[in-house]
Amino acid sequence: MIDKSNSFPVKIPQTEQERILIIGGGFGGLQLVRNLKNAPYQVVMVDRHNYHTFQPLLYQVATGGLEPDSIGTPLRKIFTGQGNFIFRMAEAKLVDPEEKRLYTNIGHIDYDYLVFASGSKTNYFGMVDVQTYAMPMKTIPQAIDLRAMLLENLEKAMYTVTEHEVETLIDIVVVGGGPTGVETAGALAELKMRVLPADYPELDFNRMDIYLVELGPKLLAGMSEKASRKTKQFLEKLGVNIWLNTGLVSFDGKVAKFNNGKEIPTTTLIFSAGVAANTIPGLDHESLHRSGRILVNENLKVKGYDNIYAVGDVAGFSADEGKTFLPMVAPVAIQQGQYLAKLFRKKAKNGFKYKDRGAMATIGKNKAVADLGPFKLTGVAAWFVWMFVHLMSIVGFRNRLLVFINWLWYYIFYRQNIRLIIRPFKREIPEPKEETVKV
Amino acid sequence: MIDKSNSFPVKIPQTEQERILIIGGGFGGLQLVRNLKNAPYQVVMVDRHNYHTFQPLLYQVATGGLEPDSIGTPLRKIFTGQGNFIFRMAEAKLVDPEEKRLYTNIGHIDYDYLVFASGSKTNYFGMVDVQTYAMPMKTIPQAIDLRAMLLENLEKAMYTVTEHEVETLIDIVVVGGGPTGVETAGALAELKMRVLPADYPELDFNRMDIYLVELGPKLLAGMSEKASRKTKQFLEKLGVNIWLNTGLVSFDGKVAKFNNGKEIPTTTLIFSAGVAANTIPGLDHESLHRSGRILVNENLKVKGYDNIYAVGDVAGFSADEGKTFLPMVAPVAIQQGQYLAKLFRKKAKNGFKYKDRGAMATIGKNKAVADLGPFKLTGVAAWFVWMFVHLMSIVGFRNRLLVFINWLWYYIFYRQNIRLIIRPFKREIPEPKEETVKV
């Protein structure tokens, strides 16, 4: 895939300082760079996007609650004025630890220290058909695409004649009962109840079925019993059909089949049932867990290497001697990024310790669940905590303000607002005029 | 292109009322529908987008000043609760006046009255190479694409080695000195001065040249002498290179060539030098002006037909016996849409009269020109008038609020904010596992 002999170095100013090269501008990478401000290193980051994505709110972009621009912040803007920071928009492809060199789609970059902060990607568990036809929701372009698809299907339903085809277009299956699946299903249910009937008076929305399908015996498996139970109640109240203990078997873009023998005819299957570490080739086999996560020690140093680290979803950090890894969630990445910066500043002590401050999920207006240590909140209180915590976590005051206005608007008018079907611009190129003469 | 014999009718509820079919949801179509509320007609609109675009601010989307979602309003949302309104997202392809039938990409629709409100498209004057490589700016997807291209070029410049290639990536040519060209050049110049140097400290922005090229002897040809002169001064102060009396000859994506023999190496050429009426086949040749505009009489009725009308850019309406047409600008479309609604309500008298309330353009912060009848404003006063008028013209209170916040932000901090490179989501489909055995 990468031809090493044909690769050129990426132009980067040379300094006297040692170079820390970071793959990925997610929560982990962001905290690391921020906390390396004025540290005696040259900090180089590569990311395939020029922006940081606030992933916990992607589902609101997909369901028309927020503009894409308000959950993305340009990485260059975040680190404006941070003199030791260099950004290159590039996709990491291959690492060669011997050469201390990272190969990317724009050339190679040498490093003194390498940090994997490359997050996770959707895990289809090898189901090629699902990967081909289902909608993932890990990036802003994917969320915009999903929003366009949901609305296009409704537009198609307006001129589709047979009942069966109409239902195939409007029914939605969400696979995966974790936070993303739960929040997406809740937002879709509110769209169905509050917004769409006014937009499409010709359509009977009682015919629109929303399914949430989970392989395990409960929703939000990582949270408390009470949170799971309440979440199920909230969703059912919103009219979501919940199938527990059910696995997706196949999806061909028209029919989703499950291991309980049931089938749902639908064009829209949102797949949020699994994530896998987002790695690149080049590390020793011994450094990787069979799940794909990169094994790190208590200092987040990758097994078998002295100058390679990993933080966040991609890192397999275990606090119980390898029995379980920390979950793939933003707070872990944030704390690990902060810890690693301390380590580089030689101020870290005693190894990384994760402070679990709890978990939460929102299901709809005034409906959320939050496990905050001994406090298990549900309903309105949890909803306000959720909103406050998320609002404060968004990068940049301007985005925070725009999200706040959108949410306030939603709270008052109880309607999502953003419903443009934005499809990529396709150029229509005319055929050049034929100048040859037919014989 | 359209096979009539293979076409099916688009599903639309049948009513007792006569059907008015409108092609296009721009300024003209919008006013027409709005003013036909509760009129005794079934009002059907087709548009290839599901939203109305506030075109005068497209250039701010392209240059990172506004989110795309705040200048687009879903057509269904605008007419929520308007009982006699039906929308179908479809692209008009062909009209058959004999059958009273419009053929679209989703089937055909019969009408009693047909209204062309299909606006205009970029006119490349037959230059296929320009159409292939230049960036137009007539739709939201085009504006997002342009924004992505401008930023991607800067990212590429960061790792490009030769001086010549770097300048090819960062120099920008705007062709066309009308309002769009002037406003775009001004916004780009402010980006260059205020935003980009902080984002790209490695790049010397003195090397970035912005050109504005106009075929005629002055900028903003439709406005007063004073406005033209001041606009030129404002732009020159912002560092824009203005070439008057200069025509584009060719552009191959790398070099733009002009009729004065000069060449500019650039990857970015923004083409806003011409628009043409956006028509479809089917009307009699006699009904069309050689420019492509549809000839209408004083009641906006298309020449040669009793039940076909045209409003806005696509209509060729002349107040001086065919010598000149009204300009292709939003106020004409708005007033014609309103007039036509009156006509359908049988309340129109004396034919359409255009009330010219003036014209304006903005060049940068505190810099604008406005011809308002006898008042020729320039500078800060014109800028505030421009902002007020545009703000009030945006459809929907929510979008107005968001645009206002963005502008206020800009006024205080003097920086455009939106710099995500959003490229369409491309699925990576793995090859299905090979199950055959190599022999």
Side-chain angles (χ1 to χ4, degrees):
Chain A
M1 180 160 85
I2 281 285
D3 179 3
K4 285 190 188 180
S5 62
N6 240 337
S7 175
F8 288 89
V10 175
K11 191 175 79 177
I12 291 177
Q14 285 286 352
T15 64
E16 299 276 293
Q17 297 170 324
E18 287 187 302
R19 179 180 292 167
I20 301 174
L21 176 57
I22 303 164
I23 307 174
F27 287 106
L30 211 62
Q31 286 300 325
L32 177 55
V33 175
R34 192 172 269 169
N35 288 285
L36 285 174
K37 188 170 182 175
N38 300 329
Y41 295 96
Q42 184 188 47
V43 180
V44 179
M45 175 184 277
V46 294
D47 194 295
R48 70 202 152 115
H49 294 133
N50 75 328
Y51 51 87
H52 166 75
T53 304
F54 192 76
Q55 288 194 358
L57 293 178
L58 268 177
Y59 82 95
Q60 293 206 2
V61 172
T63 53
L66 290 174
E67 282 93 355
D69 290 286
S70 59
I71 68 154
T73 318
L75 289 161
R76 293 185 178 280
K77 185 173 151 194
I78 298 174
F79 301 115
T80 296
Q82 193 158 328
N84 64 342
F85 175 72
I86 301 277
F87 177 73
R88 291 292 178 268
M89 195 167 94
E91 211 172 327
K93 294 288 191 185
L94 174 74
V95 56
D96 187 329
E98 290 287 308
E99 299 177 299
K100 296 192 194 172
R101 181 168 285 184
L102 178 74
Y103 291 85
T104 78
N105 63 331
I106 62 167
H108 59 257
I109 304 173
D110 291 336
Y111 59 79
D112 296 296
Y113 303 96
L114 179 67
V115 180
F116 279 87
S118 41
S120 55
K121 58 185 177 190
T122 305
N123 184 359
Y124 296 95
F125 304 102
M127 297 185 286
V128 175
D129 59 336
V130 178
Q131 182 162 0
T132 306
Y133 295 105
M135 302 298 295
M137 205 168 39
K138 290 286 288 178
T139 69
I140 286 179
Q142 288 169 356
I144 296 173
D145 205 46
L146 176 52
R147 177 178 93 180
M149 183 183 178
L150 291 169
L151 292 164
E152 269 173 357
N153 282 344
L154 289 168
E155 294 297 337
K156 280 182 194 160
M158 303 313 295
Y159 58 84
T160 297
V161 180
T162 73
E163 289 293 307
H164 177 75
E165 279 177 62
V166 169
E167 298 203 356
T168 302
L169 284 167
I170 64 177
D171 288 356
I172 301 172
V173 176
V174 181
V175 176
T180 302
V182 160
E183 297 187 323
T184 306
L188 289 170
E190 292 204 329
L191 259 182
K192 170 188 161 181
M193 285 201 324
R194 302 279 157 192
V195 179
L196 301 178
D199 270 14
Y200 300 88
E202 301 168 61
L203 206 62
D204 174 9
F205 279 90
N206 290 321
R207 290 163 59 193
M208 179 179 182
D209 296 312
I210 299 169
Y211 298 88
L212 178 60
V213 181
E214 163 60 35
L215 188 61
K218 60 177 207 164
L219 300 175
L220 300 178
M223 292 184 69
S224 65
E225 226 18 88
K226 186 184 173 194
S228 294
R229 202 179 58 241
K230 264 292 181 188
T231 298
K232 190 156 177 285
Q233 279 174 24
F234 285 146
L235 284 170
E236 281 169 345
K237 216 169 174 179
L238 286 169
V240 175
N241 304 293
I242 298 170
W243 292 4
L244 298 175
N245 302 305
T246 309
L248 177 67
V249 174
S250 71
F251 177 58
D252 63 359
K254 287 171 193 156
V255 179
K257 293 184 184 172
F258 299 91
N259 63 0
N260 59 3
K262 288 191 186 164
E263 298 185 354
I264 302 174
T266 183
T267 52
T268 314
L269 187 143
I270 302 169
F271 192 83
S272 56
V275 285
N278 196 15
T279 50
I280 54 171
L283 290 182
D284 193 84
H285 190 70
E286 293 289 299
S287 313
L288 302 175
H289 184 254
R290 60 187 157 71
S291 67
R293 290 173 88 168
I294 301 174
L295 296 165
V296 294
N297 72 7
E298 72 283 2
N299 277 328
L300 308 175
K301 190 181 281 189
V302 174
K303 192 180 168 184
Y305 299 98
D306 262 345
N307 61 342
I308 306 184
Y309 298 82
V311 297
D313 289 5
V314 76
F317 179 93
S318 174
D320 53 7
E321 289 165 359
K323 267 178 263 168
T324 56
F325 289 133
L326 288 179
M328 288 167 147
V329 293
V332 173
I334 290 170
Q335 293 180 33
Q336 290 186 336
Q338 289 164 343
Y339 177 84
L340 193 55
K342 266 192 204 156
L343 196 82
F344 279 122
R345 287 174 177 278
K346 302 183 174 56
K347 287 178 183 168
K349 285 173 201 153
N350 306 325
F352 174 71
K353 294 268 183 314
Y354 177 52
K355 286 189 203 75
D356 187 354
R357 297 204 176 83
M360 45 190 130
T362 184
I363 293 104
K365 186 180 182 180
N366 288 338
K367 294 182 199 71
V369 292
D371 291 347
L372 307 168
F375 305 101
K376 318 284 182 208
L377 305 179
T378 62
V380 181
W383 198 64
F384 277 99
V385 171
W386 182 92
M387 288 215 296
F388 180 78
V389 169
H390 281 76
L391 209 51
M392 289 302 109
S393 311
I394 292 169
V395 179
F397 177 71
R398 186 183 158 282
N399 281 359
R400 208 172 288 160
L401 180 69
L402 290 174
V403 170
F404 177 70
I405 289 167
N406 273 298
W407 286 354
L408 194 68
W409 194 271
Y410 178 68
Y411 195 78
I412 299 169
F413 298 105
Y414 206 169
R415 304 189 61 170
Q416 292 96 327
N417 271 293
I418 302 154
R419 300 200 287 286
L420 311 193
I421 300 176
I422 298 182
R423 286 298 194 182
F425 158 55
K426 283 201 196 90
R427 223 176 263 277
E428 279 178 29
I429 311 291
E431 292 290 315
K433 283 189 189 94
E434 204 64 60
E435 288 188 21
T436 52
V437 183
K438 275 183 190 165
V439 187
Chain B
M1 180 159 87
I2 282 284
D3 180 3
K4 286 190 188 182
S5 61
N6 239 338
S7 175
F8 288 89
V10 176
K11 192 176 79 177
I12 291 177
Q14 284 286 351
T15 64
E16 299 276 293
Q17 297 170 325
E18 288 186 302
R19 179 181 293 167
I20 301 173
L21 176 57
I22 303 165
I23 307 174
F27 287 106
L30 211 63
Q31 287 300 326
L32 177 55
V33 175
R34 192 172 268 170
N35 288 285
L36 285 173
K37 188 170 182 174
N38 299 328
Y41 295 96
Q42 185 188 48
V43 180
V44 179
M45 174 183 278
V46 294
D47 195 294
R48 70 201 153 115
H49 294 133
N50 75 328
Y51 51 86
H52 166 75
T53 303
F54 192 76
Q55 288 194 359
L57 293 178
L58 268 178
Y59 82 96
Q60 293 206 2
V61 172
T63 53
L66 290 174
E67 282 94 354
D69 290 287
S70 59
I71 67 155
T73 319
L75 289 160
R76 293 185 178 280
K77 184 174 152 194
I78 298 174
F79 301 116
T80 296
Q82 193 158 328
N84 64 343
F85 175 72
I86 301 276
F87 177 73
R88 290 292 177 267
M89 196 168 94
E91 210 171 328
K93 293 287 191 185
L94 174 74
V95 59
D96 187 330
E98 290 286 310
E99 299 176 299
K100 296 194 195 173
R101 181 169 283 182
L102 178 74
Y103 292 85
T104 78
N105 63 332
I106 62 167
H108 60 257
I109 304 173
D110 292 336
Y111 60 78
D112 297 297
Y113 303 96
L114 180 68
V115 180
F116 278 88
S118 41
S120 55
K121 59 186 178 189
T122 305
N123 184 359
Y124 296 96
F125 304 101
M127 297 185 285
V128 175
D129 58 336
V130 178
Q131 182 162 1
T132 307
Y133 295 104
M135 303 298 294
M137 206 169 38
K138 290 286 288 179
T139 69
I140 286 179
Q142 287 169 357
I144 297 174
D145 206 44
L146 177 51
R147 178 178 92 179
M149 183 184 178
L150 292 170
L151 293 164
E152 270 173 355
N153 282 344
L154 290 168
E155 294 296 336
K156 281 183 195 161
M158 302 314 294
Y159 57 84
T160 297
V161 179
T162 75
E163 290 292 307
H164 176 75
E165 279 178 62
V166 169
E167 298 203 356
T168 303
L169 285 167
I170 64 178
D171 288 355
I172 302 172
V173 176
V174 181
V175 176
T180 302
V182 160
E183 297 188 323
T184 306
L188 289 170
E190 292 204 329
L191 260 182
K192 170 188 160 181
M193 285 201 325
R194 303 278 159 192
V195 178
L196 301 179
D199 270 15
Y200 300 88
E202 300 169 60
L203 206 61
D204 173 9
F205 279 89
N206 291 321
R207 290 162 59 193
M208 179 179 183
D209 296 312
I210 300 169
Y211 298 88
L212 178 60
V213 182
E214 163 59 36
L215 189 61
K218 61 178 207 163
L219 300 175
L220 300 179
M223 292 184 68
S224 66
E225 222 22 83
K226 185 182 172 192
S228 294
R229 201 178 59 239
K230 264 291 182 189
T231 298
K232 191 156 176 284
Q233 278 173 23
F234 285 145
L235 283 171
E236 281 170 345
K237 216 167 173 179
L238 286 169
V240 176
N241 304 293
I242 299 172
W243 292 3
L244 299 175
N245 303 305
T246 308
L248 177 67
V249 174
S250 73
F251 178 58
D252 63 358
K254 288 172 192 156
V255 178
K257 293 185 183 170
F258 300 91
N259 64 0
N260 59 3
K262 288 189 187 167
E263 299 186 353
I264 303 173
T266 183
T267 52
T268 315
L269 188 142
I270 302 169
F271 193 82
S272 56
V275 285
N278 196 15
T279 52
I280 54 172
L283 290 183
D284 192 83
H285 191 69
E286 292 290 299
S287 312
L288 301 175
H289 183 256
R290 59 185 160 73
S291 68
R293 290 174 89 168
I294 302 173
L295 296 165
V296 295
N297 72 5
E298 74 281 4
N299 277 327
L300 307 176
K301 191 181 281 189
V302 175
K303 191 179 169 185
Y305 299 99
D306 261 343
N307 62 341
I308 306 184
Y309 297 82
V311 298
D313 289 4
V314 76
F317 179 92
S318 173
D320 52 8
E321 289 165 357
K323 268 178 266 170
T324 56
F325 289 133
L326 287 179
M328 288 167 147
V329 293
V332 172
I334 290 170
Q335 293 179 33
Q336 291 186 336
Q338 289 164 342
Y339 177 85
L340 193 55
K342 268 194 203 155
L343 195 83
F344 279 121
R345 287 175 178 277
K346 301 184 174 54
K347 287 179 184 166
K349 285 173 201 151
N350 305 328
F352 173 71
K353 294 268 184 312
Y354 177 52
K355 287 191 202 75
D356 186 355
R357 297 206 177 81
M360 44 192 134
T362 184
I363 293 102
K365 187 181 181 178
N366 289 338
K367 296 184 197 69
V369 292
D371 291 347
L372 307 168
F375 306 101
K376 317 284 183 210
L377 305 179
T378 61
V380 181
W383 199 62
F384 277 100
V385 172
W386 182 93
M387 288 216 296
F388 180 77
V389 169
H390 281 76
L391 210 49
M392 289 303 109
S393 310
I394 292 169
V395 179
F397 177 70
R398 186 183 156 281
N399 281 359
R400 207 172 288 160
L401 179 70
L402 290 174
V403 171
F404 177 71
I405 289 168
N406 273 299
W407 286 354
L408 194 68
W409 195 272
Y410 178 69
Y411 195 78
I412 297 168
F413 299 105
Y414 205 173
R415 304 189 61 172
Q416 292 95 327
N417 272 290
I418 302 154
R419 302 199 287 285
L420 311 193
I421 299 176
I422 298 182
R423 287 297 195 183
F425 158 53
K426 283 199 195 91
R427 223 177 263 277
E428 279 177 30
I429 311 291
E431 292 290 315
K433 284 193 189 87
E434 204 64 62
E435 289 189 20
T436 52
V437 184
K438 277 183 191 164
V439 186

